[in-house]
Every structure is written in structure tokens, then in C-alpha cells.
């Protein structure tokens, strides 16, 4: 009789709290706020992840997001496309922020509320966006409830 494998339980539970939101006093930056709870912690913490316009523009370019989105939205009625574009843009920012949060967790995260500034993990984020571009787009497609094609 072989033992039944136990399912993989991630060490962190991460939930988007809100975002993207513009940073007060700095309109070229946006934030997403996540609740992060490690299994061994008694309580979770809030982590603010900040991105600037240049990082987002670069992420959009290297992932081919704009071209991909226009292709995907050909299946959406013209009257609905603007709404889908706006939601897809928000989902993209959330996805990039989540990638940056994952990088911070890999580097070691403390059990305290904190911010990951726009200038942190820049080259690592560039690499992660390039590596995870298809997964990001797949998640956006699923969140928008658009069939794969």
C-alpha cells in the first residue's frame, strides 16, 4: 500500500486587499495593498507594493500585453471593450504587484506592516514579468471570463 501524497500547502496566504490606487502626491506611482499571512504567524500583515509608470510601461512592453489584449478583445462586443480594457489594465497592475510581492517574500519578509517601494527589486521584477508573462495573461483572461483562443 502506497502512502497518499499530502497536498502542497503554500507557506503564505496572500490576498489582494485593494488596488491599484494612485499614490497621494505622486501621480506617476500606483500601489496595491495585500494581506499576507504566514502559516506560523498568529496574524497577517499588510504589505503595500508600489510601482511607477516606467516599471509598468516596461512590463507591458516586455509581456506584449497591449497587443495581446487587443487580440483577446476582438471577441468582445465593441460597446463593451472600454470596460474590459480598464479592468484588464487593473488586473495587469495587480498581477505585476503580486509578482513583486512574491520576490519580496523570497528575499525574506518580516511579520510587520511594510511597504515595498517602487525602486526595490527592479531588475528582479523585470525578469519575473518576462518569465511569467503568459501566466499573467492567462489569469487576466480567466478573471475577465474570456475563453482561451
Amino acid at each position: 500500500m502506497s502512502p497518499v501524497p499530502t497536498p502542497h500547502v503554500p507557506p503564505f496566504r496572500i490576498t489582494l486587499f485593494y488596488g491599484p490606487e494612485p499614490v497621494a502626491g505622486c501621480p506617476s506611482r500606483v500601489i496595491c495593498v495585500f494581506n499576507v499571512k504566514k502559516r506560523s504567524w498568529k496574524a497577517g500583515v499588510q504589505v503595500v507594493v508600489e510601482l511607477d509608470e516606467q516599471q509598468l510601461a516596461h512590463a507591458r512592453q516586455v509581456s506584449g500585453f497591449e497587443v495581446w489584449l487587443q487580440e483577446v478583445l476582438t471577441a468582445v462586443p465593441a460597446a463593451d471593450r472600454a470596460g474590459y480594457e480598464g479592468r484588464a489594465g487593473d488586473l495587469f497592475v495587480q498581477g505585476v504587484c503580486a509578482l513583486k510581492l512574491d520576490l519580496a517574500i523570497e528575499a525574506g519578509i518580516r511579520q510587520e506592516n511594510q511597504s515595498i517601494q517602487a525602486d526595490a527589486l527592479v531588475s528582479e521584477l523585470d525578469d519575473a514579468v518576462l518569465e511569467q508573462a503568459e501566466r499573467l495573461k492567462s489569469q487576466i483572461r480567466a478573471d475577465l471570463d474570456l475563453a482561451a483562443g
Side-chain angles (χ1 to χ4, degrees):
M1 183 153 99
S2 67
V4 175
T6 57
H8 172 69
V9 177
F12 289 90
R13 186 184 73 234
I14 301 169
T15 307
L16 176 70
F17 186 51
Y18 67 88
E21 296 287 328
V23 174
C26 193
S28 66
R29 294 190 176 186
V30 295
I31 60 168
C32 289
V33 180
F34 296 87
N35 288 320
V36 178
K37 166 91 172 58
K38 189 172 184 177
R39 290 180 59 212
S40 62
W41 295 348
K42 289 188 180 210
V45 297
Q46 285 191 346
V47 180
V48 176
V49 179
E50 185 178 85
L51 298 172
D52 67 28
E53 284 180 358
Q54 289 179 333
Q55 288 173 314
L56 285 171
H58 182 71
R60 286 175 183 270
Q61 189 265 327
V62 299
S63 67
F65 177 74
E66 301 298 336
V67 171
W68 170 83
L69 183 60
Q70 294 312 310
E71 268 180 30
V72 167
L73 293 183
T74 58
V76 173
D80 297 333
R81 284 190 192 144
Y84 276 83
E85 285 175 356
R87 181 71 181 129
D90 286 349
L91 291 168
F92 184 79
V93 173
Q94 291 169 1
V96 174
C97 283
L99 284 176
K100 190 169 186 174
L101 176 59
D102 289 345
L103 293 168
I105 288 171
E106 286 175 18
I109 196 167
R110 302 169 314 278
Q111 187 181 357
E112 61 188 41
N113 293 343
Q114 58 198 280
S115 294
I116 303 167
Q117 300 299 312
D119 60 357
L121 302 166
V122 174
S123 64
E124 296 90 340
L125 182 60
D126 289 345
D127 293 343
V129 168
L130 188 58
E131 292 171 9
Q132 299 292 324
E134 292 310 310
R135 184 181 63 80
L136 273 171
K137 292 184 276 192
S138 178
Q139 285 178 306
I140 292 167
R141 183 189 293 274
D143 286 347
L144 294 176
D145 199 25
L146 297 172

